[in-house]
Every structure is written in structure tokens, then in C-alpha cells.
Amino acid sequence: MSGPDSAIALVLLAEDDRDVCSLLARGLREDGYAVLTAHDGAAALAVLESLVSPADVLVTDVTMPRLRGDRLALLALARGLARHVLFITGGAVHAADVPISGPILPKPLSPATLSQAVAKVLVGA
């Protein structure tokens, strides 16, 4: 993914379970991604708004306090704060429940599974 001709992709991981967030962020970093984290939707939006350029991928839990992940994704895309969105969820969320399209990964998931999904989103697969 990273090399002399490619930039390191920036991923914002929005996950309210701090242990899950830490595990997934560590896995993404080990796979070469630059990772920022937030533990609720409002904090994630603030992080996105503070960036100089858009995050390459917003990985967000669908159900979070203060601002749901689906709403966060809508705002981020509409404002040009993220290029791609990937949803994760521990609940019974289906594509029809989320107002924008994007992959939805069920939790629990491994860091490797998340890294693979991020890579696919980045290449448009």
C-alpha cells in the first residue's frame, strides 16, 4: 500500500468501544495506514473538520453516542471531509437502514478483516 510512489492513506476510525477501537487502530497502523481515532460521532466530526485535507477513509460504527455513524458519514461526504466510508456494526443493521451506500462489516471483526476492507474501498473494489 505505501511505497515510493504512493502516499500513506489516512483512516479515521470512529468507534465508541475503546478496546475495540484500540485493537482495530493498532491493526490498521501495523498494515501501514495513518490512523486517527474518535470515540463518538461528534468527536469524529470535529477531527475531520480539523484536517487540512479529507480523510481517505472514514471507518465508523453505525450506532454511537452524540452522533450516529450514518449521520456522521452523510455530513463527512457532503462537506468533503472524507473520500470513502466504511461502516462497522455490532447490531442488526442492514444496508436499507443506512441512508448512504457503503460496505457494512459486522462486529466482531479482526484487524486483518478491517484492513482488507479499507484496501478494497481505496482501490474501488
Side-chain angles (χ1 to χ4, degrees):
M1 177 209 30
S2 61
D5 297 325
S6 63
I8 296 172
L10 175 62
V11 177
L12 173 60
L13 175 59
E15 166 60 58
D16 58 322
D17 183 314
R18 291 178 188 270
D19 292 333
V20 170
C21 188
S22 178
L23 175 70
L24 295 176
R26 184 171 49 250
L28 289 168
R29 287 183 184 111
E30 288 172 358
D31 284 342
Y33 296 101
V35 181
L36 300 173
T37 61
H39 298 295
D40 66 54
L45 185 59
V47 169
L48 288 169
E49 289 174 335
S50 74
L51 297 175
V52 174
S53 59
D56 294 299
V57 182
L58 167 62
V59 177
T60 181
D61 192 354
V62 175
T63 55
M64 288 188 298
R66 297 181 55 205
L67 181 63
R68 285 179 46 97
D70 54 346
R71 181 74 179 137
L72 167 64
L74 280 171
L75 292 170
L77 292 173
R79 296 178 185 177
L81 302 175
R83 292 185 175 95
H84 305 281
V85 175
L86 178 64
F87 295 102
I88 56 177
T89 183
V93 174
H94 305 285
D97 299 328
V98 179
I100 62 172
S101 63
I104 301 174
L105 298 175
K107 294 190 290 185
L109 73 152
S110 71
T113 298
L114 180 57
S115 285
Q116 290 168 357
V118 168
K120 285 181 182 178
V121 166
L122 286 169
V123 297

